[in-house]
Amino acid sequence: MKRINWSIWLGLIVSIFAFLSYPILFVNWETTRDFPWANIVLFVIAFALLLIGIRRAFAPGRRLLSKIVAPIVATISLLALGLFILTAFVAARWLPASANAPQVNQQAPQFTLKDTNNKEVALTELLSQPLNGNPPKGVLLVFYRGYW
Amino acid sequence: MRSIQKNLARFNEVGIRPVAVSVDSPEDSRDLCQKAGYTFTFLSDPNLVAIRPFDLVHAGQGIKGHDIARPAEFLIDKTGTVRWRMLTENFWVRARPEQVLEAAKVLQ
């Protein structure tokens, strides 16, 4: 019985995990989010395994099938790396420049919006209504994409 | 959002009121707050009345092709002046609570 080329398959699994674990797992912690070093480490491990796997696949005495499957698996793994680079580094920067956003020391635009109780709330109210019984010192406005 | 909720007591202690703004409807935001346990203010801006003057419109990026806000944070003092801001260049990177608390030290 021919032995299974474990390193190549493990390399594939680690590559796919290295890609998917960024948006679903490692973004939850600032240290692994702001720079995705954990995912880069995983990809290094994955490609070390793939390299071992490819050498093994082309070693003397391996079946032809092994020589065909190994490059395919390696290509899929490269695709996972490509998607990771796109997600974490390239597409992540497709944001509007917001050149006319209010600068530090500029007056913020006034607005009135509905809160979750459908009640109209003005920025001026948020800046003046007591917070834990004391007048607030400021408001942290957090704009986010929404969950649509 | 999660890190703001986690640090809400620290924010409130130094007099900062966090306020989240998105194009989501008040109902959607209420669902989110209930599910995720957010207890600070969420405002609904489907008509971009705040998002547009802040120049944060990310055109056509909603799942229905509608305009949404790009991620950004502003610390505004009680006179309505911007005292600190973060316009992230990377979708995944957001302000850390410590950055905001550090910036809040200038507030009177």
Side-chain angles (χ1 to χ4, degrees), chain A residues 38-55:
Chain A
N39 303 83
I40 292 168
V41 168
L42 284 169
F43 270 114
V44 169
I45 294 167
F47 281 92
L49 287 164
L50 288 163
L51 201 70
I52 296 165
I54 285 174
R55 286 177 65 117

Side-chain angles (χ1 to χ4, degrees), chain A residues 86-99:
Chain A
L86 183 72
T87 312
F89 296 104
V90 182
R93 292 177 180 278
W94 293 341
L95 292 171
S98 301

Side-chain angles (χ1 to χ4, degrees), chain B residues 17-32:
Chain B
R17 165 176 283 139
V19 175
V21 183
S22 79
V23 297
D24 286 352
S25 70
E27 292 72 28
D28 285 346
S29 295
R30 195 191 310 147
D31 287 350
L32 171 71

Side-chain angles (χ1 to χ4, degrees), chain A residues 22-24 27-35 86-89 91-119 121-132 134-148, chain B residues 1-4 11-12 14-24 26-27 29-30 32-33 41-45 49-51 53-58 61 63 66 68-85 87-94 96-98 100 107-108:
Chain A
Y22 185 60
I24 62 178
V27 286
N28 292 317
W29 302 283
E30 286 154 354
T31 41
T32 50
R33 177 196 69 185
D34 291 0
F35 186 76
L86 183 72
T87 312
F89 296 104
R93 292 177 180 278
W94 293 341
L95 292 171
S98 301
N100 294 314
Q103 306 277 348
V104 170
N105 293 328
Q106 274 183 355
Q107 202 69 14
Q110 289 296 322
F111 60 81
T112 301
L113 292 170
K114 280 183 178 165
D115 67 9
T116 51
N117 299 314
N118 270 303
K119 187 177 149 284
V121 184
L123 176 60
T124 47
E125 293 170 61
L126 295 165
L127 289 167
S128 57
Q129 276 167 5
L131 187 64
N132 292 355
N134 298 309
K137 287 184 178 169
V139 161
L140 175 69
L141 280 181
V142 181
F143 290 90
Y144 68 106
R145 294 165 60 88
Y147 294 85
W148 326 313
Chain B
M1 293 308 153
R2 231 174 326 192
S3 65
I4 292 170
F11 283 130
N12 290 344
V14 296
I16 302 177
R17 165 176 283 139
V19 175
V21 183
S22 79
V23 297
D24 286 352
E27 292 72 28
S29 295
R30 195 191 310 147
L32 171 71
C33 290
T41 306
F42 274 66
L43 298 179
S44 176
D45 188 12
V49 303
I51 295 165
F54 274 83
D55 195 24
L56 302 171
V57 177
H58 200 174
Q61 289 296 302
I63 42 164
H66 56 287
I68 60 170
R70 58 105 87 214
E73 293 94 7
F74 294 85
L75 187 62
I76 296 169
D77 72 11
K78 58 189 175 198
T79 71
T81 307
V82 176
R83 300 307 299 263
W84 173 89
R85 65 173 204 172
L87 288 164
T88 186
E89 288 178 352
N90 182 324
F91 168 81
W92 301 104
V93 180
R94 307 293 159 87
R96 298 180 180 211
E98 307 86 70
V100 179
L107 296 178
Q108 303 281 304

